Amino acid sequence: MKYTLIFSFSVVAALPLVIFFYPGVSIPWKQLTGSIGTDTATVERQLHTAAGFHVELFAGDLPNARWLAVTRRGDLLVSQPKHGRVSLLTADGDGDGRADGQRVLIDDLTRPHGLFLYEDWLYIAESDSVGRVAFDHSDGRLAGSYRKIVTDLADSGNHWTKTIAMGPDGRVYLTAGSSCNVCVEEDPRRAAMMRFRPDGSNFEIFASGLRNAVGFDWSPKDGALYATDNGRDWLGDDFPPCELNRVEKGGFYGWPYANGDRVPDPDFGVDAGREVQRKIANSIPPVHNFPAHNAPLGITFLRSPTQPADYRDAALVALHGSWNRSVKDGYKVVSLHWDEQGNIRREDFLWGFLGEDRKEVHG
């Protein structure tokens, strides 16, 4: 029986794909995106995996695919924000390793990005709202009308995507990035993590100072909430680092006043007044740094007990890759491994999205 991790890639790779490990069960992993035209030959020629894993193309005609969720029947839901829709890929029933079919599940949405399934509901994070609709897992159909439960979210400027997930406390968690490279936001819901009840009530700011925390997940080992975060641009090739933060309720994580481990920002932190200095001193530093401009997005912890010992409770993180850098870097998936003292080791897990000419692989 195959152990299956499902990825989708856009900026790094331009292909949705499936990674197999034997034996085990199927779980989803969320992020990055897909494009059209990727072929099996390109996947086999260009992409490389950590020992014990193998990569195969699952579906190649999903332009701008972003976030994934797997139904109880094994069908795959995929958000496509630039097309305003969520599509459904039918599970591989004939054993050829490819999706058996594809259809639009719901459309006419406003740049849908994050999504998840909870009980008999499909939750979707549009750029300006969060909605939900009853979902029938048995046949992969909507079983009611789509209704927005959180509205009036700001989606102007640089980072319009919204990511959502159901937390272990039964609350829906939502992240929204900043409207700019670096600025003081007027709307406290930007550059922040929020949470609310499944019906949209009791909306609150959970943490702030997170410039663009696209991905987050809870560790199966200690229950801690970890979120990736993209560092700001235009401070050189190697600063500031991108971040992995352990997110706590009420925590402030530095942006826009500080970068990395409380390093004052040259625009908003250096020579700042006493109040800003206090904010910097009280900010929570990252627990792990990624190289500058690698832009970590999706993160998922591996939960199956059949994982290889070294991957048990490890996390996979997708690195979007760098645009604001003289030499491209990132464009891969890495694994994070915690030791007993809480130290984090990073290793390459899936790579090959940049060719020898440093151009992105698009099949």
Side-chain angles (χ1 to χ4, degrees), residues 2 33 42-43 52 81 98-99 115 120 133 144 149 156 261 265:
K2 293 180 179 180
T33 50
T42 299
V43 173
R98 303 292 294 267
L115 52 79
D120 293 322
V133 58
I149 58 173
S156 61
D261 190 356
D265 185 84

Side-chain angles (χ1 to χ4, degrees), residues 8-38:
S8 77
F9 289 82
S10 173
V11 238
V12 288
L15 64 156
L17 47 89
V18 177
I19 292 181
F20 294 121
F21 174 77
Y22 301 83
V25 295
S26 179
I27 64 168
W29 182 83
K30 310 166 262 298
Q31 201 38 38
L32 287 180
T33 50
S35 177
I36 19 181
T38 303

Side-chain angles (χ1 to χ4, degrees), residues 117-241:
L117 291 159
Y118 174 68
E119 295 180 344
D120 293 322
W121 294 97
L122 167 61
Y123 285 77
I124 302 172
E126 301 181 63
S127 63
D128 61 355
S129 60
V130 177
R132 69 176 183 176
V133 58
F135 181 79
D136 189 336
H137 288 261
S138 66
D139 63 2
R141 304 283 177 179
L142 301 183
S145 299
Y146 179 70
R147 186 174 69 86
K148 295 186 178 183
I149 58 173
V150 174
T151 59
D152 300 320
L153 297 174
D155 64 352
S156 61
N158 289 14
H159 306 119
W160 51 264
T161 63
K162 305 294 187 294
T163 305
I164 51 173
M166 179 62 75
D169 57 359
R171 302 287 183 94
V172 178
Y173 285 70
L174 163 71
T175 54
S178 65
S179 64
C180 58
N181 175 38
V182 58
C183 63
V184 177
E185 298 282 4
E186 295 182 2
D187 186 341
R189 299 172 300 174
R190 299 301 294 257
M193 177 180 286
M194 298 144 278
R195 71 176 179 179
F196 49 89
R197 295 189 184 278
D199 62 0
S201 63
N202 293 93
F203 188 98
E204 63 178 344
I205 305 294
F206 186 78
S208 60
L210 297 163
R211 180 177 176 271
N212 191 27
V214 176
F216 57 92
D217 195 14
W218 289 262
S219 168
K221 188 172 184 179
D222 61 9
L225 171 57
Y226 291 89
T228 61
D229 197 13
N230 293 190
R232 63 160 292 182
D233 299 314
W234 306 118
L235 294 181
D237 278 3
D238 301 313
F239 187 82

Side-chain angles (χ1 to χ4, degrees), residues 210 225-229 243-247 253 284-288:
L210 297 163
L225 171 57
Y226 291 89
T228 61
D229 197 13
E243 301 177 1
L244 178 72
N245 290 297
R246 179 170 171 153
V247 183
Y253 291 84
I284 302 173
V287 295
H288 180 75

Side-chain angles (χ1 to χ4, degrees), residues 289-308:
N289 289 336
F290 298 96
H293 313 301
N294 273 203
L297 297 181
I299 177 173
T300 282
F301 281 91
L302 303 180
R303 291 173 167 83
S304 171
T306 63
Q307 288 289 342

Side-chain angles (χ1 to χ4, degrees), residues 9-13 31-33 66 230 293-298 317-323 329-333 353-354 360:
F9 289 82
S10 173
V11 238
V12 288
Q31 201 38 38
L32 287 180
T33 50
R66 292 292 292 191
N230 293 190
H293 313 301
N294 273 203
L297 297 181
V317 177
L319 304 182
H320 170 298
S322 55
W323 67 270
D329 192 24
Y331 303 94
K332 59 186 175 183
V333 177
F353 298 111
L354 280 179
E360 296 173 43

